[in-house]
């Protein structure tokens, strides 16, 4: 089942069920927003499934001028992991950071009151802050009790999404050194238009991992095509960690962190910072610049047989307008 | 003006305006929740002010069996500063931490989808995690544009609140070392019942600081009575820092961090960890234990002339029930 949110009808938008190819949609009657669907999943999913079947039979309104918001245009909670060890190790080596000692998954709490839609322009105050994209996958859960096991969390993972976790790289290491995590270095993220139930991924959802490559283009040029399967811990373990001392509300989004692979020289990277790190290791100098105003980035995961799963993120970074 | 949220009528509760002494209330008609009031402050505040005047004239329903929720039982954003330098320095010295280098205010993003009401029992999974309270003040803003100056943020500070930022001290230093901030070490906070407009504090609101002492009792025994005026940066500077690269949504709560004073030997501490730190410095051994299930903590700031401002937090810590 493929769900999306149209950017109409209030700050939470309007929930729609999509056809598998993402070209047609139907509105639900029992719930009008994605947040409501997640809060009432037991009751709402039957209707959503029925709409999905009708779409498979060719019904539905064609997507034309409608604009997609993020599946959850705002969420009560966004917790982002860093589950691709390759990325962390590369960054430590390149930037001579102290190894991060941890016996639990790495995770920070991020800004959740705004997620950009897949085609929104993304405003930043200054190029000098080091504007960078971070391609990753995420899951959205329904209500998760405190202290559940990783295995138990599997049935709470209702939707899978594709995320661009925008980062400001000049600010990030300074904030990280305080131990308090990131505030200014991690403004709002962007999310691809379609949130899909795990079964929609078929065999590509396994062991709490999204076994798909995430193709990233920067200004129309291939930048990375790393595979989601190399997470050192699966999403179910990230969710269990998040719920270790707190219940998770329905609609909590949990991210994988930057997708990265051990064969990064073949597949490329999912953020500029990692490529710069590799350049530093190789030549002692990072030559790839960060993003400039007007630059575009696109991100899209595709099924092995070629179909788009989450739809594409296609965005442009722009200078923030003062006072907005 | 003194506002509160009754724990009735949905997850966001029901907004009421309180009499100054906190014994009577009136419901608003134009807005029914605190979040709505903050989103529509320009339009809603006139009605709320009018109700406040009627309460001053003796009108209103007496507070009887009603239960208060946190002023915002859930918020889209909770950002907690660490603005009392005395606390940070004491902790560094006691626990031999590396000095935190920072030229900007310290701040982390915390869990915001649940705030406990002032009299709710507070569940934790294990005593062994080092259950601790942290008494602090906070402000709630309306919508703040990205990049505003500290001075400009002053007019966005709509309400002042009193917070207990629960912390798990055995987990906290490990999470801090990752640089990612706290997840398991910082579950939901509690908030005192009344959120007040800055003018309600009179001269005790000055330079973005709450010039009141926060009296804390642990199991009925005085633990600390530190003064809110010693913030090294004011709330307006914390808000401006938070809005450096993101707009803040209406209803964002910004905390001061643990209230601490240079004369901590006279006034005591606002968290157990700080007292343990002082013991370590003095004798090489921390002898005060953390909280046990069944323990109570109360926190209340009072005006110089004796009136309660935010009402009292009076809570008991309990063992979390599995699966809830």
């Amino acid at each position: 089942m493929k769900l999306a949110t149209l950017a109409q009808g209030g700050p939470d938008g309007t929930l729609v069920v999509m056809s598998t190819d993402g070209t047609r949609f139907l509105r639900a009657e029992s719930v009008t927003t994605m947040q409501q669907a997640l809060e009432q999943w037991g009751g709402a999913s039957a209707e959503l499934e029925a709409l999905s079947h009708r779409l498979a039979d060719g019904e539905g309104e064609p997507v034309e001028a409608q604009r997609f918001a993020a599946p959850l245009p705002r969420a009560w909670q966004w917790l982002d992991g860093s589950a691709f060890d390759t990325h962390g190790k590369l960054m430590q080596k390149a930037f001579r950071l102290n190894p991060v000692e941890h016996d639990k998954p790495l995770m920070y709490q991020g800004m959740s009151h705004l997620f950009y839609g897949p085609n929104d322009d993304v405003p930043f105050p200054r190029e000098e802050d080091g504007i960078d994209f971070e391609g990753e996958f995420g899951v959205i859960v329904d209500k998760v009790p405190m202290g559940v096991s990783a295995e138990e969390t599997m049935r709470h993972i209702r939707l899978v999404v594709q995320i661009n976790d925008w980062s400001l790289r000049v600010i990030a290491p300074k904030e990280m050194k305080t131990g308090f995590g990131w505030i200014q270095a991690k403004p709002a993220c962007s999310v691809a238009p379609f949130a899909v139930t795990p079964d929609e991924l078929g065999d590509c959802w396994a062991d709490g991992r999204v076994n798909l490559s995430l193709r990233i283009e920067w200004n129309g040029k291939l930048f990375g095509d790393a595979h989601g399967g190399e997470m050192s811990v699966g999403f179910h373990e990230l969710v269990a960690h998040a719920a270790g001392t707190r219940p998770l509300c329905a609609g909590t989004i949990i991210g994988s962190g930057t997708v990265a692979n051990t064969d990064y020289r073949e597949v490329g990277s999912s953020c500029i910072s990692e490529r710069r790190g590799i350049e530093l290791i190789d030549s002692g100098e990072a030559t790839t610049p960060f993003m400039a105003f007007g630059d575009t980035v696109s991100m899209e995961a595709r099924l092995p047989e070629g179909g788009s799963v989450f739809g594409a993120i296609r965005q442009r970074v722009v200078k923030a307008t003062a006072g907005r």
Side-chain angles (χ1 to χ4, degrees), chain A residues 120-198:
Chain A
D120 294 346
D121 283 350
V122 181
F124 296 100
R126 290 165 298 275
E127 288 179 345
E128 295 76 42
D129 291 338
I131 302 166
D132 197 0
F133 47 81
E134 269 196 21
E136 52 182 273
F137 295 108
V139 296
I140 309 181
V141 296
D142 60 10
K143 193 176 170 189
V144 179
M146 190 196 299
V148 294
S149 70
E151 213 179 341
E152 285 172 294
T153 69
M154 278 293 198
R155 64 190 178 86
H156 294 289
I157 296 177
R158 296 304 186 185
L159 296 168
V160 185
V161 291
Q162 180 199 305
I163 298 168
N164 179 3
D165 172 33
W166 291 102
S167 300
L168 297 172
R169 299 296 185 186
V170 173
I171 303 171
K174 294 179 206 169
E175 290 193 332
M176 199 175 179
K177 266 187 201 158
T178 67
F180 281 56
W182 301 281
I183 299 291
Q184 293 193 343
K186 294 278 189 185
C189 299
S190 305
V191 190
F194 309 136
V196 305
T197 48

Side-chain angles (χ1 to χ4, degrees), chain A residues 131-313:
Chain A
I131 302 166
D132 197 0
F133 47 81
E134 269 196 21
E136 52 182 273
F137 295 108
V139 296
I140 309 181
V141 296
D142 60 10
K143 193 176 170 189
V144 179
M146 190 196 299
V148 294
S149 70
E151 213 179 341
E152 285 172 294
T153 69
M154 278 293 198
R155 64 190 178 86
H156 294 289
I157 296 177
R158 296 304 186 185
L159 296 168
V160 185
V161 291
Q162 180 199 305
I163 298 168
N164 179 3
D165 172 33
W166 291 102
S167 300
L168 297 172
R169 299 296 185 186
V170 173
I171 303 171
K174 294 179 206 169
E175 290 193 332
M176 199 175 179
K177 266 187 201 158
T178 67
F180 281 56
W182 301 281
I183 299 291
Q184 293 193 343
K186 294 278 189 185
C189 299
S190 305
V191 190
F194 309 136
V196 305
T197 48
D199 63 292
E200 189 81 12
L201 297 174
D203 294 343
C204 296
W205 173 254
D207 196 23
R209 289 157 173 86
V210 178
N211 288 299
L212 293 173
S213 297
L214 181 57
R215 185 181 171 90
I216 299 177
E217 293 181 358
W218 177 14
N219 290 334
K221 240 178 94 179
L222 180 65
F223 187 86
D225 199 18
H227 194 266
E230 279 188 36
M231 285 168 78
S232 55
V233 291
F235 277 111
H236 54 311
E237 291 159 290
L238 292 177
V239 176
H241 176 71
T245 63
R246 66 177 71 176
L248 306 182
C249 60
T252 294
I253 312 174
I254 309 262
S256 66
T258 315
V259 177
N261 294 164
T262 48
D263 60 342
Y264 52 84
R265 290 188 192 279
E266 283 77 53
V267 302
S269 297
S270 301
C271 66
I272 300 172
S273 187
E274 186 179 295
R275 181 188 276 188
R276 286 170 58 89
I278 295 165
E279 291 168 350
L280 255 180
I281 293 169
D282 287 353
S283 71
E285 196 187 359
T287 53
T288 303
F290 290 112
M291 295 182 88
F293 293 138
D295 279 9
T296 60
V297 65
S298 72
M299 301 186 175
E300 188 167 20
R302 289 182 166 272
L303 288 167
E305 56 270 28
S308 181
V309 187
F310 309 101
I313 288 175

